[in-house]
Structures are given as structure tokens and as C-alpha cells.
Amino acid sequence: MKKANFLIKLKLRWRVLIFFLLWFSTSYSQVKIGDNPNTIDAASLLELEGTSRTLVLTRVTDVQMQAITPLQGAIVYNIDQQCIFYFDQTNWKNLCAEGGSGGDGATLVDNEDNTYTFTDANGVETIISFSEGGFLTGDSGSLFFAGTDGNASENNTELFWDNTNNRLGIGTNSNLNYKLNVNGNIGSTHLLLNNGNPFGPAPLIIRGGGQDQRMIAFQDENRGTTVFNINFKGGGLNIDDLNQSHRLFIKVLGGIGIDTREPSETLDVAGTFRVRQLNPSQTTDNFVTVDANGVFHRSATNSSSGKKPINFFENFSGQWANNALKFGLKFGTNVAPIFTSENFKDGGNSIYEVKGNSLVVKLSGKYDIRSNLSLIGANTSAAGQTATTSARIYINASPIGAISVAANNGSTDKSVLSSIHIDELLKLKANDVITIIMSTDAFSDTIYMNSEGTSNFSITKLN
């Protein structure tokens, strides 16, 4: 009887306890389990607190997890993946993916059967399978890459590694003579060869090595020998043959040398050169002359007056006339006023230059000088004898050449004409000054240079 009463009392107490817990849970809607049960955050529905005990989630395998279709937000611990997964209403998401948010990163899990499961950032899984032993097998030197089907593939004619010499072939697997051998086009913002350093917008940088600084070598396809090189040697860029002769040399901060590495001009050719085609000459063209050292010079040939075009085969010429109206010759010596009206002057002031009643030649050489001096007046001397009127060329104030004399016909008529003719072939130097000096023993103002344009002077440079 006592035992029955005890059981009745025990059942009654459990009912009271359960009722109290249900009332407490319903009243406060919060549960705290573990340490400090009376302290719970106002925003917590359920809190677990402890330093020696933990919460263990439901543990399942891959197969078991995939068989569960729970409410959105459900979580489990996958013992195969060794990670926590949550259900997003459609799929289970791995919280161990990069970023810790499921789907933001990618994972690779060893399935321990020579396969791996790769899960990309979008949660798409791919099974990667290897051959027995876990290694790819192929021909020696094969470099594997993903084919169009996503599986590992090889193509030695397009990508090949020479294991013996440690050389890479792209587009070829034969005759690999260098570290990198490319059969095809290369596209790159910067292509650096032999540890070149990129700078500025330069797309190709080649760094030479050794004393020769050889950068590019061209070989005979049949013999496999070097035909010529491009290198940096002797302070400039060379294009030379197998014997290192400087066929083309570009000197830094200097000129271009052909068959010489010491260009003294912008272009220095140690040998002959040929021009296949030239345009027709123009009246404004210039001569090109060559000095004793083979240096080219420009020699002007155009007419300053534009009246007489000069071609390459004509000499330099000039012509002047007097414009004095009956210029009177005084007793003694007189400078002929002949260089006043310029008819033409080939080359302008670069060949001839007028200074007063004198002419300055600018180029050394042989000159043909001709002049006609027209006179008018009574040829009577102070003693009533025939007057003498002569002319002679002076070079740098010194007389040179023959003395030319006007003939006297014995007339005293002031309208009678006479003339003096000068014809000289002289060798002159640059900057020599030509002057015509006239002499008469007639009374003052009785002998005149005739009217404007009746006297002239012409000069031609012969070489």
C-alpha cells in the first residue's frame, strides 16, 4: 500500500515539473542550457554555454545527407566531407568552401578512390578521375591540358617539354635548340628576351650577353649555320656577316656607316653606291658636288632673275651692263661703272656678288671674262694729238691680263662711236675682287661711256 502511494506521489511530481517547464518555456520563449542558466541574451531563443561540453550536430554521410529533404536552413555535419552543410531549400551547401558562405569559393575533396570532387563557386560538382596509381600517363615530354570535353589531353606537336635539355617547344617538338622554341606568331604587350627589363611602351626588349652582345642571328635553313647577325658592338648597332664585318653600323648619337664602323657623316658609305631611278630635274634644283674626301655638297644652279633656267650640264654665268648716261672719263684712271644693271646671275650671291663697281667671285676655278666698253666723244688730247683710251682687268687692285685700247679714227666729231673689247681666261680664287680700270689722256669730259645698256660685262665659270 505504501509502495503504491509512493508511485502515485512520484507521478504527480513529474507532472507538476513538466507543467512548470512548459509554462516557463511558453511564458518566456527562451531556453538557456549549460552554465549560467539565469543569464540569457534578450535576442536569444536558445543559448548553450559551457567550457567542457559541446553541441554535436546530426552526423551523416554523403548518401544519408542527400536522402534528407529538410526545411530551409537545416544544418548537418557531413562525416565524408568533414564539414558542416546547410540546406538552401534546394541543395545542400558546403560551409567549408572558400569565403565560408557556401558557393562563394571552390573546394577540391579527395574521395580516397583515385577521384576528387571539385565544387566550383556556383556549387557545381565535377568528378576528376585519375588512372591507377593517381597519375596521368603519356608520351615522354607531354604537357597535359584540358580538352574540349574537359578531360586531360596532350598534343606534343603543339606543346612539348624536352626533359633531357630542359627546353620548351610551342608549335613544334623537334630541333629544340633554345630554352624557348616557337613555331608561329607571338602576341604580347612586352616580350622580354634574355632577362630584358621592360620600360616605357617598348614592345620588344632584347638583352645581349657576352663580349659580342649578339642579339639576333639568322641562319641558313639548309646548312644550319649563321648567315649574319644583329648585335650591339663598338658603341652601335651592327648588321654584320659571319666574319663580324660591319656591313651596316648605326652609331649611338652618331651616323650610319655602310662597311665602316666610324661614320664621320650622317651617312658614310665606304664604297660605291647606286641610284636606280631619279625624278626629272627642275629649274630650281641644285647641283650635288663631291669633294676630295667623298663628302657631298650642294651647289646652287638656279637663276636669281628667273630669266635663264640652268640645267646640270651648264656652267655658272653672270652678266651686267652699265646704266650711266654718258659717264664722263676724266684725265687719268677711272673705274668703269659696269656692274650696275644685273641681267642674270646663276646661283645668286652664292657664286657672284656685286660690291659697288666691283664683282666678287665666291668659288675657286677657271673663269672666262668678256666685256665691251662703248665710248663716244672727241678723241683729242691736250696737245692736239690723238687721245688714247684703254682698259684693263684688275684682280684685288692689281692689274692682270692684256691692255685693251680703243681705236682712233682721227675724227673730232663728238658723236663718233668707238669701243674697247676685253677677253680674258683667268684662274681665280674664292673672294677675288674683279674691277675694270680705264685710262685716257684726253681733256676732261671729252670721252664718255655711251648711253645706258650699251656696255656690258659677262663672266662664266668653266669648272
Tab-separated table of all heavy atoms in Angstrom, residues 396-426:
chain	number	residue	atom	x	y	z
A	396	ASN	N	91.916	92.135	-107.239
A	396	ASN	CA	92.347	92.550	-105.896
A	396	ASN	C	93.265	93.771	-105.974
A	396	ASN	O	94.311	93.843	-105.333
A	396	ASN	CB	93.043	91.411	-105.152
A	396	ASN	CG	92.158	90.192	-104.990
A	396	ASN	OD1	90.958	90.319	-104.818
A	396	ASN	ND2	92.763	89.012	-105.083
A	397	ALA	N	92.811	94.748	-106.842
A	397	ALA	CA	93.516	96.030	-107.030
A	397	ALA	C	94.842	95.886	-107.739
A	397	ALA	O	95.618	96.860	-107.803
A	397	ALA	CB	93.715	96.735	-105.687
A	398	SER	N	95.134	94.733	-108.319
A	398	SER	CA	96.386	94.550	-109.081
A	398	SER	C	96.033	94.253	-110.538
A	398	SER	O	95.142	93.418	-110.811
A	398	SER	CB	97.209	93.406	-108.508
A	398	SER	OG	97.586	93.693	-107.178
A	399	PRO	N	96.720	94.922	-111.512
A	399	PRO	CA	96.418	94.691	-112.927
A	399	PRO	C	96.825	93.280	-113.356
A	399	PRO	O	97.808	92.714	-112.877
A	399	PRO	CB	97.263	95.739	-113.636
A	399	PRO	CG	98.388	96.032	-112.708
A	399	PRO	CD	97.829	95.884	-111.335
A	400	ILE	N	96.000	92.695	-114.206
A	400	ILE	CA	96.272	91.355	-114.702
A	400	ILE	C	95.702	91.238	-116.114
A	400	ILE	O	94.673	91.811	-116.435
A	400	ILE	CB	95.670	90.280	-113.768
A	400	ILE	CG1	96.136	88.882	-114.185
A	400	ILE	CG2	94.156	90.363	-113.714
A	400	ILE	CD1	95.751	87.801	-113.192
A	401	GLY	N	96.386	90.542	-116.975
A	401	GLY	CA	95.901	90.352	-118.337
A	401	GLY	C	96.328	91.473	-119.274
A	401	GLY	O	97.100	92.371	-118.923
A	402	ALA	N	95.769	91.410	-120.501
A	402	ALA	CA	96.162	92.343	-121.570
A	402	ALA	C	95.503	93.699	-121.390
A	402	ALA	O	94.456	93.827	-120.771
A	402	ALA	CB	95.782	91.755	-122.914
A	403	ILE	N	96.204	94.724	-122.018
A	403	ILE	CA	95.653	96.079	-122.069
A	403	ILE	C	94.897	96.210	-123.383
A	403	ILE	O	95.437	95.969	-124.465
A	403	ILE	CB	96.748	97.141	-121.984
A	403	ILE	CG1	97.506	97.000	-120.652
A	403	ILE	CG2	96.157	98.534	-122.120
A	403	ILE	CD1	98.690	97.942	-120.533
A	404	SER	N	93.603	96.601	-123.281
A	404	SER	CA	92.779	96.781	-124.477
A	404	SER	C	92.615	98.277	-124.732
A	404	SER	O	92.376	99.054	-123.802
A	404	SER	CB	91.412	96.127	-124.289
A	404	SER	OG	91.554	94.738	-124.053
A	405	VAL	N	92.783	98.699	-126.031
A	405	VAL	CA	92.799	100.123	-126.396
A	405	VAL	C	91.719	100.391	-127.436
A	405	VAL	O	91.506	99.581	-128.354
A	405	VAL	CB	94.174	100.520	-126.944
A	405	VAL	CG1	94.200	102.009	-127.282
A	405	VAL	CG2	95.270	100.184	-125.935
A	406	ALA	N	91.055	101.566	-127.330
A	406	ALA	CA	90.059	101.982	-128.310
A	406	ALA	C	90.771	102.558	-129.531
A	406	ALA	O	91.700	103.351	-129.415
A	406	ALA	CB	89.122	103.007	-127.704
A	407	ALA	N	90.335	102.164	-130.714
A	407	ALA	CA	90.943	102.679	-131.961
A	407	ALA	C	90.530	104.135	-132.188
A	407	ALA	O	89.417	104.538	-131.864
A	407	ALA	CB	90.505	101.823	-133.139
A	408	ASN	N	91.443	104.962	-132.766
A	408	ASN	CA	91.178	106.370	-133.047
A	408	ASN	C	91.075	106.550	-134.550
A	408	ASN	O	91.980	106.174	-135.278
A	408	ASN	CB	92.309	107.235	-132.480
A	408	ASN	CG	91.989	108.723	-132.559
A	408	ASN	OD1	91.641	109.232	-133.618
A	408	ASN	ND2	92.160	109.411	-131.439
A	409	ASN	N	89.971	107.137	-134.986
A	409	ASN	CA	89.811	107.339	-136.434
A	409	ASN	C	90.139	108.745	-136.869
A	409	ASN	O	89.871	109.133	-138.013
A	409	ASN	CB	88.393	106.976	-136.871
A	409	ASN	CG	87.343	107.818	-136.140
A	409	ASN	OD1	87.682	108.791	-135.462
A	409	ASN	ND2	86.083	107.445	-136.330
A	410	GLY	N	90.656	109.601	-135.937
A	410	GLY	CA	91.080	110.938	-136.280
A	410	GLY	C	89.972	111.955	-136.341
A	410	GLY	O	90.204	113.121	-136.645
A	411	SER	N	88.739	111.562	-136.072
A	411	SER	CA	87.619	112.490	-136.165
A	411	SER	C	87.499	113.278	-134.870
A	411	SER	O	87.833	112.801	-133.802
A	411	SER	CB	86.330	111.716	-136.432
A	411	SER	OG	85.220	112.581	-136.363
A	412	THR	N	87.016	114.510	-135.008
A	412	THR	CA	86.756	115.350	-133.836
A	412	THR	C	85.259	115.469	-133.556
A	412	THR	O	84.844	116.227	-132.680
A	412	THR	CB	87.344	116.746	-134.038
A	412	THR	OG1	86.734	117.338	-135.212
A	412	THR	CG2	88.845	116.676	-134.216
A	413	ASP	N	84.486	114.684	-134.293
A	413	ASP	CA	83.033	114.698	-134.103
A	413	ASP	C	82.684	113.965	-132.808
A	413	ASP	O	83.051	112.802	-132.619
A	413	ASP	CB	82.371	114.031	-135.299
A	413	ASP	CG	80.854	114.152	-135.245
A	413	ASP	OD1	80.322	114.622	-134.215
A	413	ASP	OD2	80.202	113.737	-136.213
A	414	LYS	N	81.980	114.672	-131.917
A	414	LYS	CA	81.664	114.075	-130.627
A	414	LYS	C	80.655	112.928	-130.718
A	414	LYS	O	80.419	112.246	-129.738
A	414	LYS	CB	81.126	115.139	-129.677
A	414	LYS	CG	82.165	116.184	-129.287
A	414	LYS	CD	81.587	117.140	-128.272
A	414	LYS	CE	82.650	118.159	-127.845
A	414	LYS	NZ	82.111	119.100	-126.838
A	415	SER	N	80.050	112.714	-131.863
A	415	SER	CA	79.069	111.638	-131.983
A	415	SER	C	79.675	110.347	-132.531
A	415	SER	O	78.964	109.357	-132.690
A	415	SER	CB	77.912	112.074	-132.884
A	415	SER	OG	78.394	112.340	-134.213
A	416	VAL	N	80.961	110.371	-132.814
A	416	VAL	CA	81.606	109.172	-133.353
A	416	VAL	C	81.770	108.138	-132.226
A	416	VAL	O	82.233	108.460	-131.132
A	416	VAL	CB	82.959	109.508	-133.962
A	416	VAL	CG1	83.701	108.244	-134.372
A	416	VAL	CG2	82.777	110.417	-135.170
A	417	LEU	N	81.407	106.852	-132.526
A	417	LEU	CA	81.489	105.774	-131.546
A	417	LEU	C	82.780	104.993	-131.692
A	417	LEU	O	83.314	104.841	-132.797
A	417	LEU	CB	80.313	104.812	-131.700
A	417	LEU	CG	78.911	105.387	-131.463
A	417	LEU	CD1	77.858	104.335	-131.782
A	417	LEU	CD2	78.779	105.871	-130.038
A	418	SER	N	83.241	104.468	-130.558
A	418	SER	CA	84.370	103.543	-130.540
A	418	SER	C	84.156	102.590	-129.358
A	418	SER	O	83.288	102.808	-128.506
A	418	SER	CB	85.699	104.288	-130.394
A	418	SER	OG	85.713	105.040	-129.202
A	419	SER	N	84.929	101.535	-129.278
A	419	SER	CA	84.717	100.570	-128.199
A	419	SER	C	86.013	99.873	-127.829
A	419	SER	O	86.964	99.821	-128.614
A	419	SER	CB	83.674	99.535	-128.608
A	419	SER	OG	84.118	98.819	-129.750
A	420	ILE	N	86.032	99.358	-126.615
A	420	ILE	CA	87.158	98.566	-126.110
A	420	ILE	C	86.622	97.169	-125.782
A	420	ILE	O	85.613	97.016	-125.086
A	420	ILE	CB	87.755	99.194	-124.848
A	420	ILE	CG1	88.289	100.595	-125.142
A	420	ILE	CG2	88.841	98.297	-124.258
A	420	ILE	CD1	88.807	101.307	-123.919
A	421	HIS	N	87.297	96.155	-126.289
A	421	HIS	CA	86.886	94.773	-126.063
A	421	HIS	C	87.904	94.061	-125.160
A	421	HIS	O	89.098	94.117	-125.401
A	421	HIS	CB	86.766	94.020	-127.394
A	421	HIS	CG	85.743	94.606	-128.314
A	421	HIS	ND1	84.403	94.385	-128.198
A	421	HIS	CD2	85.889	95.451	-129.384
A	421	HIS	CE1	83.754	95.027	-129.130
A	421	HIS	NE2	84.639	95.700	-129.867
A	422	ILE	N	87.375	93.370	-124.118
A	422	ILE	CA	88.220	92.616	-123.186
A	422	ILE	C	87.807	91.152	-123.251
A	422	ILE	O	86.624	90.814	-123.172
A	422	ILE	CB	88.089	93.131	-121.749
A	422	ILE	CG1	88.571	94.598	-121.658
A	422	ILE	CG2	88.844	92.255	-120.755
A	422	ILE	CD1	88.362	95.215	-120.299
A	423	ASP	N	88.787	90.291	-123.372
A	423	ASP	CA	88.521	88.843	-123.422
A	423	ASP	C	89.662	88.142	-122.695
A	423	ASP	O	90.777	88.075	-123.211
A	423	ASP	CB	88.417	88.378	-124.876
A	423	ASP	CG	87.935	86.935	-124.971
A	423	ASP	OD1	87.801	86.285	-123.916
A	423	ASP	OD2	87.676	86.478	-126.094
A	424	GLU	N	89.373	87.664	-121.488
A	424	GLU	CA	90.413	87.055	-120.672
A	424	GLU	C	89.946	85.696	-120.119
A	424	GLU	O	88.767	85.497	-119.811
A	424	GLU	CB	90.777	87.952	-119.486
A	424	GLU	CG	91.516	89.218	-119.861
A	424	GLU	CD	92.953	88.955	-120.305
A	424	GLU	OE1	93.444	87.816	-120.069
A	424	GLU	OE2	93.568	89.855	-120.874
A	425	LEU	N	90.896	84.765	-119.969
A	425	LEU	CA	90.687	83.477	-119.314
A	425	LEU	C	91.581	83.464	-118.083
A	425	LEU	O	92.808	83.399	-118.209
A	425	LEU	CB	91.032	82.324	-120.255
A	425	LEU	CG	90.797	80.909	-119.695
A	425	LEU	CD1	89.314	80.689	-119.405
A	425	LEU	CD2	91.312	79.859	-120.665
A	426	LEU	N	90.971	83.572	-116.909
A	426	LEU	CA	91.736	83.734	-115.679
A	426	LEU	C	91.394	82.627	-114.679
A	426	LEU	O	90.266	82.120	-114.636
A	426	LEU	CB	91.434	85.093	-115.035
A	426	LEU	CG	91.763	86.334	-115.875
A	426	LEU	CD1	91.347	87.589	-115.119
A	426	LEU	CD2	93.245	86.372	-116.217
